[in-house]
Amino acid sequence: MKILFTLLFALICASSVAAQTPAAAPAGTGKIGVVNPGLFNDAKAGAGITRLKAALKAVADATKPAADRAQNDLSKYRTLAAEIDRLRKATGTAPAILQAKIIEAQDLETSLKRQEEDSKKNYEKVYSERVTPIMNDIFRAMNEYAKAKGYAIILNGPKLEQDDLLIGYDDRYDVTADFITFFNARPVPR
């Protein structure tokens, strides 16, 4: 009788544990896709993600004047450095003239460093305002796309190749073009 009671107790405990264990999630199709995010900004007409390309162009346009100014000042700095070098090698150069050119070059160098810092801050601000919301929308859309098309995972192919994690794959699993079409067809969020 004691053995029967022990067996019955063990059976009740086992069924209680089994009832508490969550049911396994239904198995998906296991499809894996590969995407090349570099093609989202494809320069060819009609290629790439339209909104992303427009936002990146807007960032480039907004930061171009500062970049042009910096490039112009850098050219002036290089010219001034060459002139200082020439004056140092020349005999009979007045020390005051050489010193004035050196101070001018130092001032220009300081100005260039400030321009670089300001340009970087401005670029980050404009990028954050214009591109980041679109990138966030792309990531959300990628999840929607994966669910709609039955993909368990979509991988960043070039990143995996760069890190030697992806040795090769069948191009049939590259969903980049299909995703771009999917994203471009979506309404623009307000």
Side-chain angles (χ1 to χ4, degrees):
M1 182 76 172
K2 192 173 182 182
I3 294 175
L4 183 62
F5 180 72
T6 306
L7 261 152
L8 187 59
F9 181 73
L11 185 61
I12 291 171
C13 286
S15 66
S16 173
V17 168
Q20 293 176 5
T21 304
T29 62
K31 284 178 20 178
I32 296 175
V34 178
V35 71
N36 181 351
L39 295 177
F40 293 171
N41 188 29
D42 193 335
K44 291 181 243 166
I49 294 179
T50 310
R51 288 179 37 222
L52 178 63
K53 289 171 42 172
L56 289 169
K57 182 181 180 328
V59 169
D61 290 348
T63 57
K64 186 176 181 344
D68 289 347
R69 244 186 338 274
Q71 187 62 41
N72 187 30
D73 285 352
L74 184 59
S75 294
K76 286 180 188 176
Y77 179 79
R78 288 181 180 148
T79 301
L80 194 54
E83 185 177 354
I84 291 169
D85 190 44
R86 184 183 53 77
L87 288 172
R88 282 188 174 143
K89 292 177 183 175
T91 55
T93 301
I97 293 174
L98 182 59
Q99 188 61 32
K101 292 291 182 185
I102 290 172
I103 291 171
E104 185 181 349
Q106 289 171 339
D107 290 346
L108 194 52
E109 184 177 1
T110 301
S111 174
L112 281 166
K113 286 178 183 176
R114 280 192 203 119
Q115 285 180 39
E116 181 180 8
E117 291 168 5
D118 292 346
S119 291
K120 183 178 177 186
K121 286 178 187 173
N122 184 46
Y123 179 86
E124 289 171 355
K125 179 182 179 277
V126 174
Y127 187 92
S128 176
E129 291 171 350
R130 306 223 179 162
V131 177
T132 300
I134 296 168
M135 292 303 295
N136 291 338
D137 194 30
I138 289 171
F139 292 131
R140 282 189 298 274
M142 186 66 71
N143 285 325
E144 291 172 22
Y145 175 84
K147 289 174 187 171
K149 301 287 184 162
Y151 286 95
I153 297 173
I154 297 179
L155 304 170
N156 181 337
K159 177 69 174 153
L160 292 172
E161 286 176 341
Q162 173 188 340
D163 294 341
D164 291 333
L165 297 173
L166 182 63
I167 307 299
Y169 66 94
D170 188 338
D171 287 340
R172 293 179 295 174
Y173 298 98
D174 186 329
V175 299
T176 306
D178 193 42
F179 173 73
I180 289 171
T181 301
F182 173 86
F183 188 86
N184 284 339
R186 293 172 44 141
V188 176
R190 300 272 172 213

